[in-house]
């Protein structure tokens, strides 16, 4: 039978939640796999700015931001040893969080790449409210979330993926153009 508009809406919600749950299961399985051996074959050098731009373009096709999002690409020729799909997953998680918590103002979300002391750095900053200390203490723990529709696995899985490639993921409260915000670096 042909579905009514209300039924189509409900089916859409069910499909959206099934996809979200499937992503969560995939992420949990990904981190539960045996850690990579120390003698794994080296990954090809991934140009950081280009990899971030590619992932960002994909994300923006689904979540247009206009002037709300700014990109500051300063990594130059820096390359990283990181699986492109894993980098995309980390970046998308950080962007989804920034999108959820940032204001609607121009420049409320910033994606920055740079080289600092010989280390490549990717930062996703948003002008969201300060994260309360009790939440901040558990940001990177599994199932920790202050958002009711979240699995609480995003930052945990992102950090796990970073550590797989000998990178780290942390949080800082910083200022951009006179506005305070949260930077995930």
């Amino acid at each position: 039978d042909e579905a009514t508009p209300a039924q189509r809406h409900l089916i859409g919600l069910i499909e959206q939640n099934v996809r979200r749950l499937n992503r969560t299961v995939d992420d949990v399985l990904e981190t539960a796999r045996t850690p990579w051996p120390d003698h794994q074959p080296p990954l090809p050098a991934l140009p950081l700015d280009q990899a971030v731009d590619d992932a960002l373009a994909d994300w923006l096709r689904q979540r247009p931001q206009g002037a709300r999002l700014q990109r500051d690409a300063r990594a130059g020729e820096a390359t990283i040893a990181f699986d492109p799909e894993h980098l995309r997953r980390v970046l998308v998680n950080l962007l989804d969080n920034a999108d959820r918590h940032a204001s609607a103002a121009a420049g409320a979300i910033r994606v920055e790449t740079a080289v600092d002391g010989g280390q490549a750095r990717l930062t996703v900053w948003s002008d969201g409210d300060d994260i309360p200390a009790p939440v901040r203490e558990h940001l990177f723990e599994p199932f920790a979330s202050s958002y009711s529709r979240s699995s609480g696995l995003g930052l945990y899985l992102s950090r796990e993926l970073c550590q797989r490639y000998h990178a780290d993921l942390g949080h800082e409260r910083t200022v951009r153009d006179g506005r305070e915000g949260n930077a995930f670096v």
Side-chain angles (χ1 to χ4, degrees):
D1 294 338
E2 191 166 321
T4 67
Q7 289 171 325
R8 283 193 301 272
H9 176 72
L10 183 58
I11 290 168
L13 289 174
I14 291 169
E15 288 174 344
Q16 179 183 18
N17 282 302
V18 166
R19 280 192 302 273
R20 185 175 59 84
L21 289 170
N22 188 47
R23 247 188 343 258
T24 299
V25 169
D26 288 347
D27 290 342
V28 169
L29 290 174
E30 178 71 30
T31 60
R33 290 189 181 127
T34 306
W36 288 9
D38 289 334
H39 304 294
Q40 67 185 5
L43 289 166
L46 181 65
L48 179 59
D49 278 339
Q50 185 61 54
V52 168
D53 288 343
D54 292 346
L56 186 56
D58 288 343
W59 186 78
L60 286 170
R61 275 192 279 284
Q62 295 183 12
R63 293 188 176 198
Q65 299 292 316
R68 185 176 182 229
L69 187 137
Q70 293 179 354
R71 171 76 168 100
D72 186 9
R74 294 187 188 194
E77 300 297 316
T79 60
I80 58 173
F82 216 102
D83 179 273
E85 178 59 21
H86 288 164
L87 180 64
R88 186 197 67 75
R89 289 169 76 184
V90 169
L91 183 57
V92 164
N93 179 65
L94 297 176
L95 287 166
D96 286 348
N97 287 345
D99 183 41
R100 183 179 302 126
H101 298 289
S103 75
I109 301 171
R110 299 180 189 202
V111 178
E112 305 162 347
T113 49
V115 176
D116 184 19
Q119 296 288 318
R121 186 180 70 228
L122 166 62
T123 303
V124 176
W125 178 91
S126 67
D127 68 356
D129 293 334
D130 193 9
I131 300 170
V135 175
R136 211 173 31 244
E137 291 172 14
H138 302 284
L139 271 178
F140 297 101
E141 294 177 8
F143 309 111
S145 177
S146 61
Y147 184 63
S148 65
R149 294 194 48 131
S150 172
S151 66
L153 291 170
L155 289 174
Y156 166 74
L157 294 170
S158 293
R159 180 178 263 183
E160 291 291 313
L161 286 172
C162 287
Q163 288 175 347
R164 177 174 281 192
Y165 300 97
H166 307 289
D168 194 20
L169 176 61
H171 168 264
E172 302 170 357
R173 186 76 178 161
T174 62
V175 176
R176 301 286 194 278
D177 296 331
R179 289 190 289 181
E180 283 192 70
N182 297 298
F184 286 86
V185 183

